Amino acid sequence: MLRNKRGIWIGLFSLVLCGMIFSGCSGSKTAEKVKVGEVTRSVFYAPEYVALAKGFFKGEGLDVELQTIPGGDKTMTALLSGAIDVALVGSETSIYVYQQGSDDPIINFGQVTQTDGTFLVARNEARTVDWNKLKGRNFLGQRKGGMPQMAGEFTLRKHNIDPHKDLNLIQNIDFANIAPAYLSGTGDYVQLFEPQASIIEKEGKGHVVASFGTESGHLPYTVFMSKQSYIKKNSDTVQKFTNALQKAQNWVQQHSPEEIADAIIPYFKDTDKDIIISSVKRYKDQGTYATDPIVDDKEWNNLLDVMTQAGELKEKVPAKAIVDNSFAEKSKSSVK
């Protein structure tokens, strides 16, 4: 009996040892690190946080390191310098780089949002806006040359308002301080992203009266992009990244604002869950979240029109110059 037990223990030890040797020989593939910089932290980018929270990036073998770099100019500087591999920022920034004649242009490869994400918030106004009432009022806007400001001006002009003549336009406040400035009493109207708009409504300091996203139409508003050299050298990584984005976009389309809020709330620890839910619902209702990563020609041409009206476009930049839809098209056809 003792001999039999000894034989069993030797056998078990041999199996464990073999397993350890096999594991050591086969090794485990190290996840590919991708450093991503987002221009701001916003519910507007819900698909990005879903891709992280639901393990879609990890499932593609990617270790995504996310950091927030406030301001499109700062985010683009980080991308150009190699401090990050991929940027989530407005497509207009890639056009600015292209217009400067870069030898290594910034390429858009994965669209996340397809409308402007800002809302017109009024202190004392009816629930639906009378655009004429904005004339002569203090309007707390966004940074000159940025997509929020350009889409805002595009909308105002559509309603026969010259933003630089008919408004007292305030643009000397940093992006991160716009909502606090409004809360402290600056401006009769303000242009805000979510969840700031919903927070102001909850505090009774104002309410949303219009959507610049609905008013300005579909745009490649926020897109994952990288340097052309990075994409050429890491095409497999970019494809995996885009696959994860498509999975997240599918998930967002198939789930409720409450379920999306549950998934992304770790990225908004200081925000009430009901605020996140209302913000996501507002974006879903107006079709802000892109259903796939493709930047189509109609969206691109609308972007060029918006930039032309804002006086920020030196020449028409064809999409084929700085948009690569090959990864997005493959993801859309293969990811279910």
Side-chain angles (χ1 to χ4, degrees), residues 32-322:
E32 301 170 70
K33 182 175 283 295
V34 181
K35 294 178 290 184
V36 177
E38 59 176 7
V39 68
T40 189
R41 178 59 53 89
S42 175
V43 177
F44 190 44
Y45 306 148
E48 175 189 39
Y49 311 124
V50 166
L52 288 163
K54 291 296 178 181
F56 296 140
F57 285 127
K58 187 176 180 180
E60 292 288 333
L62 302 180
D63 175 14
V64 170
E65 178 184 287
L66 178 64
Q67 58 181 299
T68 304
I69 309 173
D73 52 344
K74 293 181 179 64
T75 305
M76 187 52 63
T77 297
L79 183 61
L80 290 170
S81 69
I84 57 175
D85 304 312
V86 175
L88 179 62
V89 66
S91 286
E92 82 284 356
T93 57
S94 65
I95 291 177
Y96 293 146
V97 173
Y98 182 83
Q99 288 183 152
Q100 292 171 3
S102 173
D103 293 330
D104 193 3
I106 302 302
I107 305 300
N108 299 264
F109 68 84
Q111 182 169 266
V112 176
T113 59
Q114 61 186 7
T115 74
D116 180 88
T118 60
F119 299 87
L120 179 62
V121 178
R123 289 193 191 282
N124 300 298
E125 189 64 72
R127 294 294 171 176
T128 55
V129 66
D130 179 351
W131 292 95
N132 287 322
K133 288 187 177 181
L134 271 70
K135 292 182 178 180
R137 308 293 287 277
N138 297 321
F139 187 98
L140 186 51
Q142 299 277 334
R143 178 179 60 84
K144 184 183 183 300
M147 272 309 300
Q149 182 62 30
M150 291 191 291
E153 292 187 10
F154 185 80
T155 297
L156 291 166
R157 290 190 182 96
K158 190 171 77 170
H159 291 281
N160 300 313
I161 298 173
D162 185 323
H164 298 280
K165 294 180 179 179
D166 297 333
L167 304 175
N168 178 19
L169 186 59
I170 303 168
Q171 289 182 283
N172 61 348
I173 297 174
D174 290 339
F175 177 84
N177 294 319
I178 291 175
Y182 187 74
L183 284 169
S184 69
T186 302
D188 302 307
Y189 295 89
V190 64
Q191 184 179 355
L192 289 176
F193 284 92
E194 289 287 14
Q196 286 78 16
S198 289
I199 291 171
I200 284 177
E201 284 190 317
K202 185 176 181 180
E203 293 183 3
K205 299 294 180 64
H207 49 267
V208 171
V209 294
S211 162
F212 287 108
T214 299
E215 292 282 345
S216 58
H218 280 193
L219 301 159
Y221 199 87
T222 321
V223 180
F224 282 117
M225 58 187 72
S226 190
K227 290 192 291 187
Q228 187 178 68
S229 58
Y230 178 86
I231 292 174
K232 285 183 177 180
K233 185 178 179 180
N234 302 279
S235 59
D236 288 345
T237 300
V238 174
Q239 186 62 66
K240 293 174 183 177
F241 191 98
T242 313
N243 290 347
L245 172 59
Q246 180 68 76
K247 290 175 184 177
Q249 290 172 322
N250 291 347
W251 195 93
V252 167
Q253 292 300 312
Q254 295 162 3
H255 290 77
S256 68
E258 290 78 10
E259 291 169 318
I260 296 169
D262 283 336
I264 70 175
I265 200 167
Y267 299 92
F268 300 91
K269 292 180 179 178
D270 296 327
T271 306
D272 292 341
K273 185 177 176 181
D274 60 337
I275 292 292
I276 298 175
I277 292 171
S278 68
S279 300
V280 171
K281 184 179 187 307
R282 192 165 266 157
Y283 283 135
K284 276 181 71 79
D285 287 348
Q286 69 179 31
T288 286
Y289 301 127
T291 58
D292 60 62
I294 295 172
V295 177
D296 66 44
D297 288 340
K298 186 176 180 180
E299 292 171 326
W300 188 260
N301 290 332
N302 192 31
L303 169 65
L304 298 183
D305 288 342
V306 169
M307 294 183 70
T308 298
Q309 280 200 20
E312 299 290 346
L313 194 64
K314 294 180 181 178
E315 60 179 338
K316 294 282 186 180
V317 180
K320 64 181 180 181
I322 51 175

